[in-house]
Amino acid sequence: MNRIGALALAGLIVVAFLSGCIGQKEEVPTIVIGSKPFNEQYILAHMIALLLEENGFKAEVKEGLGGTLVNYEALKRGQIHVYVEYTGTAYNNILKLDPPGKWDPDYVYEKSKEEMLKRDGVLTLVKLGFRDDYAIAVKKEFAEKNNLQKLSDLAPYAPEMTLGTDPEFATRPDGLPRIKEVYGFTFGEVKQMEPTLMYEAIKNGEVDAISAYTTDARVDLFGLKILEDDKGALPPYDAVILIKKEFADKYPEVVEVLKKLEGLIDTDTMRELNYQYDVEKKDAREIAREFLIEKGLLKG
């Protein structure tokens, strides 16, 4: 082969190599999933991880990474790629938007979705199908003795009561401050603690009321009564999966997998899954695995 022929062949090899490189997809990195420090967050984080792994991706769960702002900031900075948030929390605690005249779930969802994308490039990808609303709960005996049905009924008793809350509810604008603003009463003492300890505290008589979650099976298990939010102080909390738009655009195949969770879990189902974790003491990953198998999204 002469020199010209050799150069031509070398050129073709280089072009072929470059064409192959251009056509190759960039490998998806290990997808890191954040979670807040309570039952359903652990279960949902592992559910996301298992579904991704089933579809050929690597996933890592940061179980109990921290509260709302810890997870959200980690998502913005690329330290995690996905986590489950709640629309009311996004609207009030992250975006700090003014409360509307009426808490409409669709409005809260659309507005929080729009603002997170506009401000931070955070995409609301999947609406899981259930709401985990905050609610004030007391023991059923206490409610029956004092004829308590709704939050308004609590006004004469609250100044003498101790309220147990999770680490966020006592100070976040959509939590206890909002109840004070709308209903005009305050509790005599407020104790902040991890959610599991909060339920144990009311069971053991260490607090008189708690900021319960509507998906939590311990409300029924511990004989608690949810007081109706008759003045609409507390917003709706639809569970959604958040992801950075940049990451979603770069790896659309990840998005397609996560969309399989759209509308998959209703409130009763989430309460049952939480029951398995809190009462039956099952492992969060195993609960998630069994659920995905049942739904045909994971091989048994």
Side-chain angles (χ1 to χ4, degrees):
M1 182 182 294
N2 61 29
R3 186 179 177 188
I4 294 174
L7 288 171
L9 179 60
L12 289 171
I13 292 171
V14 169
V15 169
F17 173 76
L18 291 174
S19 298
C21 290
I22 291 169
Q24 286 177 354
K25 282 186 177 181
E26 185 176 343
E27 184 179 352
V28 180
T30 298
I31 301 163
V32 182
I33 302 120
S35 87
K36 303 184 191 186
F38 59 93
N39 49 18
E40 73 193 37
Q41 283 274 319
Y42 304 143
I43 296 167
L44 295 169
H46 283 292
M47 199 177 290
I48 291 168
L50 285 164
L51 188 60
L52 288 167
E53 290 166 4
E54 178 74 6
N55 286 271
F57 302 105
K58 295 178 182 177
E60 177 188 354
V61 173
K62 296 286 187 183
E63 195 171 285
L65 179 64
T68 296
L69 296 181
V70 171
N71 278 278
Y72 193 74
E73 287 300 318
L75 183 71
K76 284 166 58 178
R77 294 172 184 172
Q79 295 165 332
I80 63 174
H81 302 109
V82 178
Y83 86 99
V84 173
E85 190 50 89
Y86 305 90
T87 54
T89 303
Y91 188 98
N92 289 286
N93 207 36
I94 294 172
L95 300 166
K96 303 187 187 305
L97 298 170
D98 293 332
K102 180 183 178 182
W103 285 115
D104 176 65
D106 291 334
Y107 171 78
V108 173
Y109 171 76
E110 293 297 338
K111 187 64 176 176
S112 60
K113 177 180 179 179
E114 174 191 337
E115 289 295 325
M116 283 189 288
L117 183 58
K118 183 169 69 176
R119 295 187 194 184
D120 302 315
V122 170
L123 189 63
T124 304
L125 187 63
V126 170
K127 199 173 184 181
L128 291 169
F130 73 90
R131 278 171 49 182
D132 186 2
D133 293 344
Y134 271 113
I136 299 299
V138 297
K139 284 188 174 180
K140 282 184 178 176
E141 309 91 87
F142 182 79
E144 290 168 1
K145 179 181 176 182
N146 297 287
N147 194 28
L148 303 178
Q149 298 293 331
K150 51 190 186 295
L151 268 177
S152 296
D153 299 333
L154 206 58
Y157 308 97
E160 304 300 321
M161 297 173 69
T162 299
L163 175 72
T165 79
D166 67 25
E168 293 187 358
F169 186 79
T171 56
R172 54 194 278 172
D174 61 333
L176 199 54
R178 181 67 176 160
I179 289 178
K180 179 183 178 181
E181 178 186 347
V182 173
Y183 288 94
F185 63 73
T186 57
F187 290 89
E189 185 180 358
V190 177
K191 293 183 177 180
Q192 298 181 51
M193 58 191 77
E194 290 300 314
T196 298
L197 298 178
M198 179 178 72
Y199 282 91
E200 290 295 328
I202 193 168
K203 184 176 93 170
N204 297 330
E206 297 164 13
V207 299
D208 305 302
I210 62 169
S211 55
Y213 314 123
T214 54
T215 58
D216 204 309
R218 289 170 293 187
V219 170
D220 296 328
L221 185 71
F222 291 173
L224 305 181
K225 178 176 178 61
I226 296 286
L227 298 179
E228 178 195 349
D229 179 14
D230 53 306
K231 294 185 179 180
L234 303 176
Y237 298 88
D238 283 286
V240 293
I241 293 178
L242 299 186
I243 188 170
K244 280 283 283 185
K245 185 177 186 302
E246 182 183 359
F247 187 84
D249 289 344
K250 193 172 184 179
Y251 304 110
E253 60 271 39
V254 173
V255 170
E256 289 308 306
V257 172
L258 294 176
K259 282 185 175 179
K260 295 179 181 181
L261 294 172
E262 178 75 38
L264 196 67
I265 311 168
D266 61 24
T267 301
D268 289 341
T269 299
M270 195 67 248
R271 191 183 298 117
E272 168 57 28
L273 297 178
N274 286 335
Y275 181 91
Q276 293 178 37
Y277 181 87
D278 292 314
V279 180
E280 297 177 358
K281 305 300 180 185
K282 291 175 68 173
D283 178 72
R285 188 174 175 87
E286 189 55 33
I287 295 168
R289 183 189 303 280
E290 290 176 1
F291 175 78
L292 291 175
I293 292 171
E294 179 188 328
K295 293 296 180 180
L297 296 176
L298 209 66
K299 295 174 185 174

